[in-house]
Amino acid sequence: MSNDIKTQVVVLGSGPGGYSAAFRAADLGLDVVLIERYSTLGGVCLNVGCIPSKALLHVAKVIDDAKEMASHGVTFGEPQIDIEKIRGWKEKVVGQLTGGLAGMAKQRKVKIVNGFGKFTGPNSIAVEGEDGTTTVNFDNAIIAAGSSVVNLPFIPTEDPRVLDSTGALELEDVPGEMLVLGGGIIGLEMGTVYSTLGANVSVVEFADQLVPAADADIMKIYTKYVKNRFNLMLSTKVVAVDAKDDGLYVTFEGKNAPEGQVRYDKILVAVGRKPNGHMIDADKAGVNVDERGFINVTNELRTNVNHIFAIGDVVGQPMLAHKAVHEGHVAAEVISGKKHVFEPRCIPSIAYTDPEIAWVGVTEREAKEQGLNFEVANFPWAASGRAIASARTEGKTKLIFDKESGRVLGGAIIGINAGEMLGEIGLAVEMGADAEDVGLTIHAHPTLNESIGMAAEIFEGSITDLP
Ligand code: FAD
């Protein structure tokens, strides 16, 4: 059976980019169809990404905080882990948010078409669903098809003991020995959850630092803090995995490679994500997709075909939900006739690990590579009353200033709540604020946020004596 629908705007994919674009377009009075292959809206982020990982990280944080209390005179005893209940909690969080999206779509009269969509021409997409094929004829399209996990050819991914991030989030059990392959944000977040729940977690990373995009001094603090949590193997790679009945036997190569094979109960492969540009027959609409699967767009988010837009992970790095959301808004507004471009000065990056790692704007490494005339101001949390009172002095706040104008170019924070604090630095970068603006802003005492004002004062020379 074939159904035909005609719409002003079709959005292919309902992740953060897709639902944001669909809702904004509907709010602007356009007639919108949203295509999604899965039964729930929300894409990777809500179903198998940002949200479930944060629900599990919340559980891990409370356990870690409770354990830490022992050194301040309060002992709760050994935590009793009920894995099914933890999984239930995570699913409840996801359900609340994906259900909320369905309600918001209904409220806005966004029509949801369930099934796998592929272009059949420059103004049509065929959606194969449970009830047959629906052809959506459109004036404008927004491709928000997202990304998928990358696998390595020598890893037996069909073995149920080899997990990707989606499998790890299912939290089937807590393995005794777990190897996390890839020391990026996703690997470290999931490694944090499993190590707190009781697994012995090893992390292998090819680069010479964890989270290679972040500055080395920030990652040095993290690496030191987690030395008892993870067995770290930097500058090392996995070259073979031998799946045997009693475990996965891994061979490593590199600077910190252990001799011979090492046995693990489970391996989490977290080596990156690839764009889904090749799954949607974009060529039938005349849309160019590069060999990796990315779709190039203009600052209005237009592809090479004027009435077809693309947003989110499928258009490039950084593959982050908040980038997708903003791109979605721009695409919808441009389609509605508004003048808008996607040209942010900065996009924040956060690892919700313990401690959290957060940065925005230029990093120190980028400032050097770009030959900028910059200066760095560091405020160590050992001098923060709030950090001392929270027994978490390992952190630091770092701001990068233009040496001449004093403008804030970027910044990084490592420490508890770093992710929540980062917004202020992002705002400073976006607004072109300088050190005086930030330093003269009265930050409440005692907060960790004070460290941002203090870093600005260090740049200005008003603070000189730090531990
Ligand atoms: P996606 O969320 O990938 O959504 C694309 C949607 O399109 C999917 O629902 C897919 O089913 C659908 N689709 C694709 N092709 C078709 C088709 N042909 N027909 C029908 N439907 C189709 N980002 C953050 O900012 N913060 C975080 O804390 C964070 N944590 C993460 C944790 C994990 C474990 C992972 C894996 C990712 C995380 N991310 C995080 C990244 C974030 O999830 C993505 O950047 C974001 O989901 C991208 O949004 P999107 O709209 O581009 O695509």
Side-chain angles (χ1 to χ4, degrees):
M1 199 179 73
S2 173
N3 271 324
D4 263 28
I5 304 179
K6 171 94 185 80
T7 187
Q8 287 174 303
V9 184
V10 65
V11 182
L12 183 56
S14 75
Y19 72 72
S20 302
F23 293 174
R24 180 61 56 94
D27 289 343
L28 290 166
L30 296 164
D31 180 28
V32 183
V33 168
L34 179 58
I35 301 172
E36 173 54 55
R37 64 179 148 160
Y38 295 127
S39 57
T40 54
L41 303 180
V44 169
C45 181
L46 267 67
N47 291 284
V48 289
C50 330
I51 297 300
S53 60
K54 272 53 204 192
L56 296 181
L57 279 161
H58 170 66
V59 171
K61 183 174 185 321
V62 174
I63 296 173
D64 289 337
D65 284 352
K67 278 188 192 157
E68 195 241 348
M69 273 297 124
S71 55
H72 313 315
V74 184
T75 311
F76 293 96
E78 268 306 296
Q80 304 296 309
I81 308 286
D82 182 334
I83 204 97
E84 248 174 67
K85 271 203 175 161
I86 298 177
R87 211 182 301 128
W89 147 253
K90 175 209 70 174
E91 277 157 17
K92 186 170 155 235
V93 171
V94 169
Q96 190 173 334
L97 285 162
T98 55
L101 279 185
M104 286 160 85
K106 201 168 169 194
Q107 223 174 21
R108 290 170 165 82
K109 299 191 171 54
V110 169
K111 185 173 172 48
I112 311 292
V113 176
N114 268 118
F116 201 100
K118 286 184 177 179
F119 285 93
T120 48
N123 290 93
S124 57
I125 291 178
V127 186
E128 295 294 337
E130 275 180 11
D131 306 326
T133 308
T134 304
T135 301
V136 183
N137 299 294
F138 58 83
D139 299 331
N140 297 279
I142 301 176
I143 302 170
S147 61
S148 313
V149 290
V150 168
N151 290 317
L152 297 173
F154 52 89
I155 308 269
T157 42
E158 66 292 343
D159 190 305
R161 296 166 298 181
V162 176
L163 308 174
D164 57 19
S165 57
T166 302
L169 285 165
E170 275 165 22
L171 202 68
E172 216 166 78
D173 57 12
V174 179
E177 296 292 332
M178 182 175 197
L179 175 67
V180 175
L181 210 167
I185 293 179
I186 293 176
L188 294 180
E189 287 186 359
M190 292 318 302
T192 302
V193 170
Y194 276 90
S195 71
T196 294
L197 293 180
N200 280 329
V201 177
S202 299
V203 179
V204 56
E205 166 59 49
F206 183 55
D208 61 2
Q209 73 169 50
L210 298 169
V211 190
D215 270 336
D217 57 330
I218 297 290
M219 292 318 299
K220 215 167 146 190
I221 294 171
Y222 178 80
T223 305
K224 190 170 163 207
Y225 193 82
V226 297
K227 69 175 190 303
N228 295 328
R229 180 186 284 281
F230 299 133
N231 166 33
L232 291 177
M233 293 174 271
L234 297 175
S235 308
T236 303
K237 62 181 180 182
V238 169
V239 288
V241 177
D242 194 1
K244 296 186 183 164
D245 287 348
D246 68 334
L248 300 158
Y249 287 78
V250 179
T251 312
F252 300 89
E253 250 178 31
K255 202 166 157 195
N256 297 298
E259 291 265 314
Q261 290 186 321
V262 184
R263 196 196 78 84
Y264 296 95
D265 297 300
K266 288 213 168 154
I267 298 179
L268 163 61
V269 183
V271 292
R273 299 185 59 81
K274 57 172 190 282
N276 287 337
H278 286 307
M279 304 192 325
I280 53 172
D281 283 359
D283 54 316
K284 298 212 170 119
V287 172
N288 295 335
V289 180
D290 77 14
E291 68 284 359
R292 290 170 305 166
F294 284 117
I295 299 174
N296 273 329
V297 286
T298 65
N299 61 4
E300 286 186 313
L301 283 320
R302 286 184 206 271
T303 66
N304 59 305
V305 177
N306 207 40
H307 66 284
I308 302 183
F309 295 69
I311 57 172
D313 284 6
V314 80
V315 305
Q317 301 288 353
M319 289 190 179
L320 292 169
H322 39 276
K323 187 206 71 150
V325 166
H326 278 261
E327 287 175 338
H329 289 161
V330 171
E333 289 178 13
V334 170
I335 290 171
S336 80
K338 288 186 187 297
K339 218 172 153 36
H340 201 165
V341 288
F342 182 75
E343 278 179 352
R345 278 199 178 153
C346 59
I347 299 172
S349 295
I350 299 167
Y352 299 83
T353 43
D354 182 27
E356 291 187 350
I357 306 155
W359 71 99
V360 66
V362 286
T363 61
E364 188 173 349
R365 187 188 314 110
E366 286 166 348
K368 277 183 195 146
E369 281 165 8
Q370 293 169 22
L372 301 180
N373 184 20
F374 71 97
E375 196 171 306
V376 175
N378 285 303
F379 185 84
W381 287 17
S384 155
R386 187 59 188 273
I388 294 169
S390 308
R392 292 301 298 263
T393 51
E394 77 282 0
K396 101 167 165 178
T397 299
K398 166 179 179 178
L399 292 185
I400 298 172
F401 296 96
D402 180 275
K403 210 168 180 170
E404 255 175 40
S405 66
R407 280 203 171 179
V408 183
L409 301 175
I413 307 174
I414 175 147
I416 51 168
N417 297 329
E420 300 293 342
M421 294 167 64
L422 193 70
E424 180 178 348
I425 306 179
L427 184 66
V429 175
E430 278 293 342
M431 290 189 69
D434 64 18
E436 196 180 14
D437 296 322
V438 179
L440 285 181
T441 299
I442 300 179
H443 292 78
H445 177 77
T447 58
L448 296 168
N449 268 71
E450 274 176 300
S451 65
I452 298 174
M454 304 275 201
E457 290 194 61
I458 290 169
F459 172 76
E460 292 192 292
S462 356
I463 299 180
T464 48
D465 54 340
L466 281 170

